[in-house]
Amino acid sequence: MLNPKTSGNLAVFVGTLLLAIFPMKVYAGDLVSARYITSEGQKIVMELEIQSPAPNTVIVIQHLPKGTDIKQSHPPFDKYNPKHGEAKWLLKKVKPGTLRISMEIAGSVRSGEVKGEIRYKNPSTGTMSRIYVSP
């Protein structure tokens, strides 16, 4: 039987040894993460963190209150349907690192009135992933 004081150290040693022998793989959920920097007022900013291997293409969908007018966005959105309050970006040739999507809207939104969605295909497995982003 193992001594309780040494069994914790043994577990850490075995875990470290296993990681050295079998390096961890990045799974689909780990390749892209996102959060809002600002989600109320006239300026909405979402920050994406892209891991390696980066997906070739990332689709960002920004859900706004219906009828919201977008004055400008960076990068420019690819499609916007004000009736549904849905703006879409198709980001191609994405590289690992941090990417910000910002937009300035006419009028103002309150916290909780915006939400986002990120879609991408994992280049290693070919599986599609969908992430929901809330303030």
Side-chain angles (χ1 to χ4, degrees):
M1 181 150 178
L2 292 174
N3 179 340
K5 290 183 179 180
T6 60
S7 64
N9 292 339
L10 180 62
V12 170
F13 172 75
V14 170
T16 305
L17 182 62
L18 287 173
L19 287 174
I21 296 171
F22 305 104
M24 289 177 52
K25 291 184 178 180
V26 176
Y27 293 97
D30 297 329
L31 289 182
V32 179
S33 60
R35 68 184 181 104
Y36 281 102
I37 303 296
T38 59
S39 61
E40 59 187 335
Q42 292 183 306
K43 188 167 186 175
I44 309 298
V45 180
M46 182 190 287
E47 184 176 78
L48 281 68
E49 194 64 41
I50 313 291
Q51 303 300 319
S52 186
N56 189 40
T57 303
V58 175
I59 299 167
V60 177
I61 302 169
Q62 181 67 61
H63 301 280
L64 302 163
K66 293 176 182 177
T68 301
D69 182 33
I70 300 175
K71 290 173 148 181
Q72 64 179 356
S73 73
H74 183 77
F77 56 81
D78 291 292
K79 188 176 183 182
Y80 181 57
N81 183 334
K83 284 185 180 181
H84 294 104
E86 189 176 87
K88 292 184 181 181
W89 288 260
L90 180 62
L91 308 173
K92 299 177 181 178
K93 298 181 182 174
V94 178
K95 297 188 184 317
T98 302
L99 175 65
R100 284 194 177 179
I101 296 177
S102 64
M103 69 176 97
E104 185 180 341
I105 59 172
S108 180
V109 293
R110 291 176 294 190
S111 182
E113 289 187 309
V114 298
K115 57 186 174 186
E117 187 177 336
I118 313 293
R119 298 179 190 167
Y120 64 92
K121 185 186 284 188
N122 183 313
S124 300
T125 65
T127 58
M128 287 296 293
S129 291
R130 180 180 291 187
I131 299 167
Y132 297 100
V133 187
S134 297

